[in-house]
Amino acid sequence: QVQLVESGGGLVQAGGSLRLSCVASGRTFSTYAMGWFRQAPGKEREFVAAIIWSGGTTYYEDFVKGRFTISRDNAKKTVYLQMNSLKPEDTAVYYCAVRSALDFGLGYAYQNEYHYWGQGTQVTVSS
């Protein structure tokens, strides 16, 4: 009942920047948090960043701290991921996700904690 559409992916050179967007629609009134995950071919899906919707608290995986910034627009129900200083190892399909419960159980970095997922947007960083 929640639809997510990611955009903003593309091809950039190492050291470049991209800003991803994820727009939520449908029954979004119960949204607790939105997050970003990524998955490279042959690899497990991994947590990137998350934001608590009401208070704006953010969480980041260590490998993107200082380079990526997650933010939100409450009115637009949109979450952004500003990615700077991109590295080839950042190449992956990036997925937006929504948690629609009161609080995290296992934690913000576990994909099973999220209830809705977008189709993903490809980010390719050339070396």
Side-chain angles (χ1 to χ4, degrees):
Q1 293 183 309
V2 175
Q3 296 80 46
L4 303 172
V5 180
E6 302 101 331
S7 63
L11 174 64
V12 297
Q13 294 186 37
S17 298
L18 285 173
R19 190 178 78 155
L20 306 184
S21 299
C22 175
V23 180
S25 61
R27 302 192 180 194
T28 61
F29 49 83
S30 62
T31 297
Y32 174 72
M34 296 184 71
W36 289 97
F37 289 74
R38 68 187 187 185
Q39 187 169 25
K43 307 290 287 186
E44 295 291 316
R45 188 171 298 185
E46 61 183 356
F47 171 77
V48 177
I51 186 165
I52 306 300
W53 207 251
S54 61
T57 301
T58 58
Y59 304 94
Y60 298 94
E61 191 62 33
D62 286 344
F63 58 78
V64 302
K65 285 183 177 178
R67 299 190 297 124
F68 292 8
T69 302
I70 188 170
S71 61
R72 76 200 193 284
D73 185 322
N74 289 344
K76 296 180 178 180
K77 278 291 185 179
T78 300
V79 65
Y80 304 95
L81 186 68
Q82 178 67 47
M83 304 186 295
N84 299 324
S85 302
L86 283 162
K87 305 174 181 179
E89 51 263 45
D90 294 319
T91 295
V93 176
Y94 283 70
Y95 296 92
C96 178
V98 165
R99 178 173 174 82
S100 58
L102 288 176
D103 201 355
F104 289 105
L106 295 175
Y108 55 81
Y110 295 86
Q111 59 182 303
N112 287 344
E113 292 289 301
Y114 296 82
H115 302 97
Y116 303 99
W117 294 82
Q119 293 296 307
T121 185
Q122 177 71 48
V123 171
T124 303
V125 184
S126 64
S127 58

